[in-house]
Amino acid sequence: MTYLDKNVDVLKNSDVVVFEYMEGGLSGANPWAGDILWPRRKPLSVAVYTLQKYVIPRLTGVAPVDDMGALPPNGPPDPAQLDRFKRLVADAAKTSRVLIFLYPTEQNLAGKAHWGEVTAPIVAIGESLLVTCVDIAKQENWKADLYIGDPHVGVEGAKLLADILAENILKFDANKSM
């Protein structure tokens, strides 16, 4: 959200805007772990950057930062962040077609009732703004064995996720031509 706040032209010049929501995603800002893990600009030297990010931590056993915290943050949505997200989606919907995809962790997939509670505020935003919400957990072929380490999926999961998103984005074009 911060990126889009600072780069308003991105929304204004986009035909389709895709938002991803995971549990805890609006409970607080993701912690920034520093330029080694999340660089803000191109490194001056790729060799030095590679040493700092990959080699030195493996040789010393010391991570390049202390504690990144939980990614994404956990907990219920912060009301201010939820409102900020709603305004951002509303702004995007003025000039673009909007897709919000609800991405479950493997744990969310196992607890579908809890997942429904977690996603209810986002689904409500989607319904109130008439934007498309796609719940990945409700997709027929989405299964726990696609995960290789929660919340990451392997090759097959990535392919299926890409297919689901592409299918829903293409629906926009099909509806546009009707």
Side-chain angles (χ1 to χ4, degrees):
M1 290 191 299
T2 300
Y3 173 81
L4 292 173
D5 288 343
K6 292 179 179 180
N7 297 279
V8 181
D9 60 312
V10 171
L11 288 180
K12 290 181 180 172
N13 295 312
S14 299
D15 293 328
V16 177
V17 177
V18 179
F19 293 100
E20 172 205 11
Y21 180 76
M22 290 178 67
E23 181 175 9
L26 293 173
S27 64
N30 281 339
W32 179 68
D35 281 315
I36 296 299
L37 292 178
W38 306 103
R40 293 173 287 180
R41 57 189 126 310
K42 184 178 176 181
L44 294 174
S45 166
V46 173
V48 171
Y49 175 78
T50 302
L51 283 170
Q52 291 174 323
K53 184 171 182 178
Y54 300 106
V55 177
I56 294 171
R58 287 199 176 139
L59 292 175
T60 64
V62 177
V65 294
D66 291 332
D67 182 14
M68 290 177 51
L71 290 175
N74 295 313
D78 173 86
Q81 294 297 326
L82 193 60
D83 186 56
R84 181 177 172 212
F85 180 69
K86 183 175 183 175
R87 286 192 315 270
L88 182 61
V89 171
D91 286 345
K94 290 176 187 172
T95 58
S96 309
R97 290 159 297 189
V98 175
L99 171 65
I100 301 172
F101 79 95
L102 309 169
Y103 183 75
T105 62
E106 190 173 2
Q107 185 177 359
N108 295 140
L109 204 57
K112 293 210 179 193
H114 174 72
W115 178 241
E117 293 171 15
V118 164
T119 58
I122 307 305
V123 171
I125 288 172
E127 289 171 351
S128 72
L129 297 174
L130 302 175
V131 302
T132 303
C133 284
V134 176
D135 188 343
I136 302 300
K138 292 180 179 177
Q139 301 302 304
E140 184 178 326
N141 296 330
W142 196 259
K143 308 284 182 230
D145 62 359
L146 295 170
Y147 295 89
I148 58 170
D150 212 359
H152 303 288
V153 294
V155 172
E156 291 306 311
K159 287 179 183 177
L160 179 57
L161 186 58
D163 288 344
I164 293 167
L165 294 175
E167 176 184 329
N168 282 279
I169 290 170
L170 289 173
K171 284 181 185 176
F172 287 136
D173 290 330
N175 290 336
K176 182 177 161 183
S177 63
M178 294 180 149

